[in-house]
Amino acid sequence: MSHDDGESPALRSGAVTYAVVTAEARRQAALPRPAARRGRETDVRTVRWWRVRTLRSFSGLSTMLTALVTMCLVLALCLRFGSWILPDAWYPLLVSVALAVYGAYRLRGAPGATARALASAACASGLVPRRYALVYDPPWGGVAVLVLFPADGGDDARPDAVLELVPQPQPWRRFLGASKRPADLPVEPVGTLELRGSANGSPMGVPWIDGQAYWPKRSYGPGELTGQEGRTMMARLLADAAEEEEVDS
């Protein structure tokens, strides 16, 4: 059932609480879902930031390095087989140059700066415990979203932050188009986490769950959650929970 004003009954009644969001997180976890990516990323606290796969990809460094390797291979083929291969080599060479420039632009620009700031925040000494509920936007095959709550609150606690995470790629292609859907996070739908470095480049900090950092793409603070954009986002995240609640009633 749709709602004319775009908001769920939970939002209209002001009942976006820990109990409501965690119930939706557990409901989504029980659905058939894209597979979680296996394996753990390199701990950013022990290596340089560019050794971490997600930060390397986000910053544009992976794109630049892949393009440079491709350029070298194409040039090597041209040197090996002579001028007759040039008519077929110019297109991949041109694409490689363009991608290398694009990757370098991202690395020198905001994406590279953000990746370095996130790495610095993840290594910060101070930590803030939070309870979390993991939901997806949209619920099946969507981007992972952590809804954060005070560590010492009860079931009626309201969210004080939301972190939209950098999507994780699928570990393998299970069906056509699966590679375009982000993988699930390999964590429990409800639990506790540590936020590090909220003052070190990421407004809401970098969440650590079970010793693994998860990288925020966007964050919403308490003020933003009460604004129109925040309310629209929460209505979207809880839309299916509202539908199921109305059916049950």
Side-chain angles (χ1 to χ4, degrees):
M1 181 181 301
S2 62
H3 305 285
D4 294 339
D5 59 2
E7 292 189 350
S8 70
L11 273 177
R12 289 203 301 269
S13 64
V16 181
T17 62
Y18 179 79
V20 170
V21 182
T22 54
E24 172 62 7
R26 292 188 175 98
R27 187 193 71 83
Q28 290 188 16
L31 297 173
R33 304 196 52 81
R37 188 180 183 93
R38 296 183 179 180
R40 297 171 68 88
E41 280 196 315
T42 305
D43 191 332
V44 70
R45 295 171 295 187
T46 63
V47 297
R48 300 293 295 272
W49 71 266
W50 46 265
R51 297 283 300 276
V52 179
R53 180 182 59 246
T54 301
L55 295 181
R56 187 170 61 244
S57 177
F58 179 77
S59 69
L61 180 59
S62 290
T63 300
M64 185 182 72
L65 292 178
T66 301
L68 289 176
V69 169
T70 303
M71 287 172 55
C72 291
L73 289 175
V74 173
L75 291 174
L77 289 174
C78 291
L79 292 175
R80 174 66 178 82
F81 295 103
S83 60
W84 67 269
I85 200 177
L86 287 178
D88 296 322
W90 72 268
Y91 180 74
L93 188 60
L94 183 62
V95 171
S96 299
V97 171
L99 288 175
V101 172
Y102 173 70
Y105 174 78
R106 287 181 59 86
L107 184 63
R108 292 294 300 273
T114 300
R116 292 187 290 271
L118 288 173
S120 176
C123 297
S125 56
L127 62 89
V128 179
R130 284 286 190 274
R131 295 181 296 169
Y132 75 84
L134 171 62
V135 293
Y136 294 89
D137 184 19
W140 195 92
V143 176
V145 177
L146 293 174
V147 184
L148 307 186
F149 298 85
D152 55 356
D155 285 346
D156 59 347
R158 303 294 179 87
D160 57 8
V162 170
L163 300 179
E164 178 185 327
L165 302 183
V166 175
Q168 295 192 332
Q170 286 278 5
W172 59 78
R173 296 185 179 185
R174 304 187 67 175
F175 53 87
L176 184 63
S179 60
K180 297 181 180 180
R181 299 180 181 274
D184 276 13
L185 262 62
V187 300
E188 294 297 321
V190 176
T192 58
L193 56 75
E194 296 175 347
L195 276 178
R196 292 182 177 271
S198 59
N200 289 56
S202 177
M204 304 308 302
V206 174
W208 287 81
I209 304 174
D210 297 332
Q212 177 70 58
Y214 294 96
W215 306 104
K217 179 181 180 181
R218 184 172 183 181
S219 59
Y220 298 83
E224 294 168 301
L225 289 178
T226 58
Q228 182 59 43
E229 186 177 3
R231 290 174 61 84
T232 300
M233 178 194 61
M234 292 304 298
R236 188 171 65 248
L237 294 177
L238 298 176
D240 287 352
E243 298 279 347
E244 188 159 313
E245 181 178 330
E246 289 190 356
V247 170
D248 292 342
S249 62

